[in-house]
Amino acid sequence: MRLRALLDTDALGLRLLGGEEELDRTVRGVMTTDLRDPSRYLAGGELVLTGLAWRRDASDTEPFVRLLAGAGVAALAAGEAELGDIPDDIVEACARHRLPLFAVNETVAFATITEHVVRQVSGERAGDLAAVVDRHRRLMTSGPTGGGPDVVLDLLGTDLDLRAWVLSPAGRAIAGSSAAGPALSTAVCARLAAEHLAAARTGRRGPHRVQVDGTTYSLFPIRSSGRGSASAATAASTAALRDVRETVLSDWLLAVEADAGDWPEERLDLLQGVTQLIAVERDRRDAARTVRRRLAQEVLELVQTGAAPAEIAARLRVAAPVLLPGLGAAPHWQVVVARVEWDGGEIEGGPVAQSLLEEILVDPLSSGPEPSDRIAVAHTGDEAIALVPLPAVSAEHDGSESGLLADSLLESVRDPLSAGLDGDGRLTLGVSASVHSAEGLRGALEEARHARRVAAARPGRVCAAGHQELASHVLLLPFVPDDVRKAFTARLLDPLRDYDRRHRAELIPTLEAFLDCDGSWTRCAARLHLHVNTLRYRVGRIEQLTGRDLSRLEDKLDFFLALRMS
């Protein structure tokens, strides 16, 4: 029970003398004492009742109050029967030590207060246990999905009067109890996620307590339950050995509107149990994504290995009903590429990037996990690639932007994710234009990858770029058919490659440097550490082998494009 509940019970005869800002403290027990040093009998959280027999003069007050505050008691209640009004030195000492002070009316027996507190605290503990039993019963009988996070949060609201929400690491509200009242604003969700990620990166154990707009929240990490490991103990042991960077950007969190700092162990254990149940539900949702992830992997492998467009189109026809059920026509597609990189490079960023893309690509204003069921994301190494289906109508308006825009994807998640990356990691993201056929997917993939490289060249921990930001020649190159691309580059570059291979020359690097220096002989010679005459000889050999003239703009442009497409 909380201290303020004592004031609401007139029969207890309590009057508050100080510590109004501390009335949300939890009372775990009650003790009556007139010992000058009762600290050895205190465990913390008690309401201490005293008749003030320990006080001979004002000098006794400070040591007594200091001992109570050091023991972590919830409050002091002093009876008026002995001295009448409570002395000012007691009021002042309690204020100095932020210890709430009550006066007990002389007509009220301490036994009355003790009986009331014991009955309330015992009832709450019984309620905690009943909630655990009832929660498990409901979860076991609510079907294979376990009822979802909302069922667990409803128990917290109805049985323990706790408002709680499940948030993603990017700050999206995934679930909330029906008793939680108005939904948290997106700004508050983002702030809570950022505070949680920052605390997790420092290695501090949860729950993490934060204040947002004058409200205290306790944040509990929801860690993976092990995904099929032999036991919970094995899973916990494995998790302890993993680098926090492997999971910090993918784990959910439980935000409770309360200060868990003064909770008893039983209540903390209960909340840890709640996080474990939600973690099981999270693992179920991840398992359900397996089909979509496999579809994305298959399509991308076909695209990257140069499979025939007809084969890719057939695979897309299989994927479309899974990702957009009920859609009559094949959708347009966009490709989004994300990369998570940590300093040192010893941690694979692909799985984290995959999880983040599955979260980021959900509308930030939506709630619940279901919207992510339409996103297919594969990963390899440090890179994750998403195939995002778009209803055909969204791309039919000529001259207007349609589909996903790079900046808007990161607008609401940049602050939380920056806190999770914490100075030694980066997230970069690239977005392609929409395409309407299998033939366009390879170009879209290359376009998204190039856009990501553009983002990587910018400062900041979380950066994105879209196809609109690419130079015109870069925008066009990915859509050049493969056979045209190969023929064009072979005609210009194969003679130079053959010559380099036979003579161990460096005509290709020389050509790249010459174009990069805008045809300046002196700058190019300095960059390659060559004499200008040697550079002129190499350029002459390039022109002889290819039949081109590097003093002509058209030939320079052809070489530039060939190098970019090779």
Side-chain angles (χ1 to χ4, degrees):
M1 67 178 300
R2 298 187 184 275
L3 285 175
R4 65 174 68 255
L6 297 173
L7 291 175
D8 296 335
T9 307
D10 294 336
L12 300 182
L14 296 176
R15 188 173 78 259
L16 182 66
L17 300 181
E20 183 175 3
E21 68 278 7
E22 304 292 335
L23 289 179
D24 283 330
R25 290 187 181 184
T26 299
V27 180
R28 303 174 189 171
V30 62
M31 178 188 180
T32 301
T33 184
D34 276 314
L35 294 173
R36 299 181 68 184
D37 181 7
S39 58
R40 75 190 71 178
Y41 304 108
L42 297 170
E46 297 91 345
L47 172 66
V48 174
L49 304 173
T50 180
L52 301 180
W54 51 268
R55 183 183 180 276
R56 292 169 299 186
D57 55 46
S59 64
D60 294 330
T61 298
E62 174 64 22
F64 181 84
V65 173
R66 184 172 63 248
L67 289 168
L68 296 186
V73 304
L76 173 64
E80 296 178 324
E82 185 72 21
L83 301 178
D85 291 338
I86 306 303
D88 290 341
D89 54 274
I90 296 180
V91 176
E92 292 166 2
C94 287
R96 281 195 301 273
H97 291 278
R98 299 179 61 86
L99 182 65
L101 175 64
F102 298 94
V104 183
N105 191 281
E106 61 181 350
T107 62
V108 177
F110 283 177
T112 301
I113 299 174
T114 300
E115 181 182 356
H116 176 84
V117 171
V118 170
R119 185 171 61 249
Q120 292 297 317
V121 172
S122 298
E124 287 189 356
R125 288 176 179 166
D128 283 357
L129 294 175
V132 174
V133 174
D134 189 46
R135 178 193 63 222
H136 281 286
R137 179 185 61 79
R138 294 188 205 180
L139 292 175
M140 292 297 289
T141 59
S142 59
T145 65
D150 300 276
V151 171
V152 183
L153 299 186
D154 283 343
L155 286 168
L156 292 180
T158 57
D159 293 359
L160 304 181
D161 195 27
L162 291 175
R163 289 159 44 90
W165 300 264
V166 175
L167 305 180
S168 78
R172 185 173 63 90
I174 293 170
S177 67
S178 57
L184 293 178
S185 69
T186 55
V188 171
C189 288
R191 172 75 181 281
L192 292 176
E195 294 282 356
H196 168 74
L197 290 173
R201 285 304 312 275
T202 64
R204 288 194 286 126
R205 297 187 58 176
H208 312 302
R209 290 174 290 160
V210 298
Q211 274 207 343
V212 179
D213 298 333
T215 301
T216 300
Y217 297 89
S218 295
L219 310 178
F220 295 80
I222 300 173
R223 297 189 173 92
S224 169
S225 63
R227 290 181 173 86
S229 57
S231 66
T234 302
S237 175
T238 302
L241 295 174
R242 299 176 68 185
D243 191 303
V244 67
R245 293 174 294 179
E246 295 183 63
T247 59
V248 67
L249 295 178
S250 55
D251 286 341
W252 290 352
L253 67 134
L254 175 66
V256 181
E257 190 181 294
D259 187 345
D262 56 358
W263 281 4
E265 289 299 322
E266 296 87 350
R267 180 68 62 94
L268 289 172
D269 289 344
L270 175 63
L271 267 292
Q272 294 298 342
V274 168
T275 65
Q276 291 170 10
L277 287 170
I278 297 174
V280 171
E281 181 62 26
R282 167 68 187 271
D283 290 343
R284 287 196 185 100
R285 300 296 170 100
D286 281 348
R289 291 175 175 172
T290 302
V291 173
R292 298 190 301 279
R293 289 173 172 176
R294 187 173 65 246
L295 284 172
Q297 195 73 49
E298 291 174 354
V299 171
L300 290 169
E301 285 178 359
L302 291 175
V303 170
Q304 295 184 100
T305 56
E311 186 178 359
I312 300 174
R315 180 52 56 185
L316 287 177
R317 283 194 295 271
V318 173
V322 176
L323 301 176
L324 285 178
L327 192 67
H332 291 65
W333 300 88
Q334 274 184 286
V335 175
V336 181
V337 172
R339 193 176 183 91
V340 171
E341 297 171 290
W342 302 99
D343 291 352
E346 71 278 6
I347 298 173
E348 184 181 9
V352 175
Q354 181 182 48
S355 180
L356 279 180
L357 265 189
E358 289 172 335
E359 171 60 33
I360 290 171
L361 293 174
V362 177
D363 183 348
L365 298 180
S366 66
S367 61
E370 288 73 18
S372 64
D373 291 347
R374 295 184 174 186
I375 298 162
V377 185
H379 81 81
T380 176
D382 290 331
E383 184 182 69
I385 304 167
L387 287 175
V388 182
L390 302 172
V393 294
S394 71
E396 289 176 354
H397 306 289
D398 294 334
S400 63
E401 294 292 346
S402 61
L404 304 172
L405 300 177
D407 285 341
S408 61
L409 283 178
L410 294 183
E411 183 177 354
S412 63
V413 303
R414 183 172 276 108
D415 288 345
L417 297 184
S418 295
L421 292 162
D422 190 39
D424 64 347
R426 290 200 77 199
L427 167 66
T428 52
L429 185 146
V431 182
S432 78
S434 62
V435 296
H436 65 278
S437 67
E439 290 85 348
L441 272 184
R442 177 167 181 173
L445 175 58
E446 292 189 19
E447 185 179 63
R449 281 176 166 160
H450 189 80
R452 192 208 62 78
R453 289 192 289 271
V454 170
R458 297 172 175 169
R461 291 289 163 187
V462 180
C463 299
H467 62 92
Q468 304 91 337
E469 303 175 61
L470 302 184
S472 59
H473 71 276
V474 178
L475 183 64
L476 294 173
L477 290 183
F479 298 99
V480 175
D482 283 349
D483 53 348
V484 175
R485 179 196 305 265
K486 292 175 182 177
F488 182 75
T489 58
R491 188 180 307 117
L492 282 175
L493 301 183
D494 279 2
L496 306 182
R497 293 192 181 107
D498 291 341
Y499 188 88
D500 282 348
R501 190 163 46 249
R502 291 196 311 270
H503 300 280
R504 295 184 179 180
E506 295 185 350
L507 297 185
I508 291 289
T510 300
L511 175 62
E512 291 174 333
F514 185 74
L515 294 175
D516 195 41
C517 292
D518 298 324
S520 169
W521 296 98
T522 55
R523 282 195 291 125
C524 184
R527 173 180 294 190
L528 296 175
H529 305 289
L530 298 174
H531 192 279
V532 172
N533 289 340
T534 303
L535 176 61
R536 291 185 184 278
Y537 171 79
R538 289 188 183 180
V539 170
R541 178 64 65 184
I542 292 170
E543 293 174 334
Q544 181 184 20
L545 292 171
T546 60
R548 298 298 185 107
D549 183 355
L550 276 168
S551 66
R552 299 179 66 249
L553 176 62
E554 293 86 348
D555 287 343
K556 287 180 182 177
L557 180 59
D558 284 347
F559 277 120
F560 175 79
L561 293 175
L563 289 169
R564 284 300 181 93
M565 288 190 294
S566 64

